Structures are given as structure tokens and as C-alpha cells.
Amino acid sequence: MSSPLEEASTVLNGDEKSAYPEALLKLHAVGGEEADTAVMNFVRRMSAMDHLDDLYEIEVHGMAVRVAAELDPDRDVEPFLDLLDPAPSGNRLVRKVMTWGPLAYPDTFPRSPWGYTRLRRLDPPPVARYTARLLAKSRTVRVSAAMALGDTADLAALDPLADVLADPSRDVRVSAINSVRRLRHAGAANELQGHPAEAGLVDALSSRQPLVHEAAVQALVLLERTDMVKDVIRSGDSGGRLQRALDRGITPLPRTWPGDETTL
């Protein structure tokens, strides 16, 4: 009887492309050197394909990069750069479209979940890369960059996230709040004491925009700061909105990729 690793490796060497995602998730769960080799062989297979090939799926290619980054964040990044920095199109209209806001940042929108957030040897490295994207004029790029910072699993991301907790855009603020919350899985609860991000979350409780203050309540609860929420409630909870948000409990965050385990 073949092992799960052997079965998944066989699928990735075959032509049943609908089975590729499940096989990649299986290798992610198995882990180890053999799983890593199988994933990297698949990454190289996808990279060698013409994008018009019937077996090629850019989302699957990106998912393979993500699994590789999860298995070894410190690995050489060279095999992934063709997806991160694709060759410019020969079509003038396509090149013009690709200069538009979000599309001009292939590592941020819509591909930031594809492992680049975890590849520590990128130049610039993930936190610096996505911090720079926070300066973009495009709200969409800033939302995605804030999300990507939370996906880095690097506590250094708390500093730039603290800065955008006061972004003019509601959507950017919510994305930043959720990213601070997501960094709980990297140990953020222990790092927040006295950090500007902690104060930023508390300030967000006073927002009149439900998406902002509700996200802040959930982040503070999960980061072991429920008392801070209760202090604000006692000092003046207009209309009981914070108490209602506290009573509703925790809503899972959207998955950044199919194998994401940082939603709570």
C-alpha cells in the first residue's frame, strides 16, 4: 500500500490537474524532506510550462509556492521569481493595463497569499516589501499590503501595522487590525505590551464604523486584552455597541490560502 506522500507525489506528476490542490495540501500536512522535494519538483514543472498549457493553472502554481514557503521559509527564492516577477507581455495594451494600481504589484495583489509573505530571503524581505506597499495611493494595494504583513508571521510587522491603524481608509484600518490579530499565532500577545499597535487597537474601539470597532474588539479579545475592551465599555459605550460586539464572540478571519490555520 502506498503512503500519503507517495500518493500525493504521483498526483503531482500526473495530468489530473483538479487533484493538484489536494495533493499539495497533503504534502503540506506530511512535511519533511521528501514532501519538500515533491513540492519543489512540482514548482519547477509549473514554471517550465507555457501558461497556455491545458495543465497550467496560475492559482495552483501559486499554491505550490505557498506550500514550499511553509515547508522552508529560509529556502533559496530563485525558483519562485518567475511567478513573482513575470516577463513583460509582448502586447502593448496588456503592458499598459498591468501598470494600473493593483496590477502593478504582482507580489501584493492578488497574489500576496502565494508564499511571498513567508520567503525570508526575498530582496527586499517580506516585511520591508509590504511596508513599502503601504505608501501606495491605491487603497486596494494598501489593503492587500496590510493583509500580507499579518501573513508574514514576523513580529517586526507590528511596527508598520501600527502606523496604518489610523489610515484614512476604513478598509485599510480593518485589514491592519485583522493582521495584528493574525500575528497572535507568531506570539504578538507577548509583544504588544506598550507597543503602538496596542494603543491603535484601543483607539479603534472608538470608531463609529462597525467594521472597525468590531474587528478591534475581536483582535483585543484574542490577544488577551479583553480587560481593555471592558475598560472602554465602562468609561462610555455609546449605544452599547462595544458590548454587543463583545457578546457576539469571535468570527473567524478569511483564510489567506487553503491551508491557513491562523483564522482564529
Side-chain angles (χ1 to χ4, degrees):
M1 180 180 292
S2 60
S3 69
L5 189 151
E6 291 169 334
E7 291 174 358
S9 299
T10 299
V11 168
L12 295 184
N13 285 323
D15 296 339
E16 190 180 346
K17 68 178 184 180
S18 64
Y20 292 160
E22 183 178 351
L24 287 167
L25 287 174
K26 189 174 294 184
L27 291 171
H28 174 252
V30 170
E33 187 174 339
E34 291 183 64
D36 186 271
T37 298
V39 171
M40 286 307 300
N41 286 341
F42 183 71
V43 168
R44 295 186 184 95
R45 183 186 181 194
M46 289 287 104
S47 297
M49 283 184 186
D50 185 290
H51 286 202
L52 297 178
D53 192 300
D54 286 343
L55 287 179
Y56 185 79
E57 293 284 350
I58 192 168
E59 290 81 7
V60 175
H61 191 178
M63 184 175 174
V65 174
R66 177 69 190 222
V67 173
E70 291 275 337
L71 292 174
D72 181 7
D74 292 307
R75 71 191 323 133
D76 178 22
V77 300
E78 185 64 31
F80 313 118
L81 296 183
D82 63 311
L83 189 60
L84 176 63
D85 296 311
S89 171
N91 184 297
R92 182 181 301 177
L93 178 59
V94 171
R95 289 201 306 273
K96 184 175 181 179
V97 169
M98 292 302 290
T99 64
W100 172 73
L103 297 181
Y105 302 98
D107 61 348
T108 306
F109 179 89
R111 303 177 188 174
S112 49
W114 289 3
Y116 304 120
T117 52
R118 300 294 179 95
L119 290 170
R120 297 171 185 158
R121 292 175 61 186
L122 280 178
D123 183 21
V127 172
R129 179 178 293 265
Y130 296 112
T131 297
R133 299 288 188 261
L134 293 174
L135 300 176
K137 291 182 180 179
S138 167
R139 175 185 58 83
T140 302
V141 171
R142 299 201 311 280
V143 167
S144 186
M147 181 276 293
L149 283 165
D151 195 41
T152 60
D154 187 340
L155 292 177
L158 284 173
D159 291 343
L161 286 171
D163 292 337
V164 288
L165 287 172
D167 191 275
S169 164
R170 178 204 64 184
D171 293 341
V172 176
R173 293 199 301 278
V174 171
S175 185
I177 290 167
N178 288 339
S179 280
V180 174
R181 165 182 162 175
R182 199 180 292 275
L183 286 171
R184 177 177 77 93
H185 294 271
N190 296 326
E191 297 293 321
L192 271 182
Q193 184 67 42
H195 191 282
E198 182 182 64
L201 291 178
V202 173
D203 287 344
L205 296 175
S206 64
S207 172
R208 293 289 181 180
Q209 296 176 314
L211 289 178
V212 175
H213 66 249
E214 289 172 8
V217 167
Q218 296 193 34
L220 286 164
V221 168
L222 284 170
L223 290 162
E224 302 170 23
R225 281 153 173 80
T226 304
D227 286 348
M228 290 184 168
V229 178
K230 292 181 177 179
D231 286 344
V232 174
I233 290 173
R234 281 192 291 268
S235 66
D237 181 13
S238 177
R241 55 194 177 83
L242 295 181
Q243 186 62 56
R244 287 194 297 274
L246 190 61
D247 292 342
R248 275 194 292 271
I250 304 300
T251 302
L253 295 174
R255 289 185 173 185
T256 58
W257 72 290
D260 184 18
E261 297 178 349
T262 67
T263 62
L264 286 175

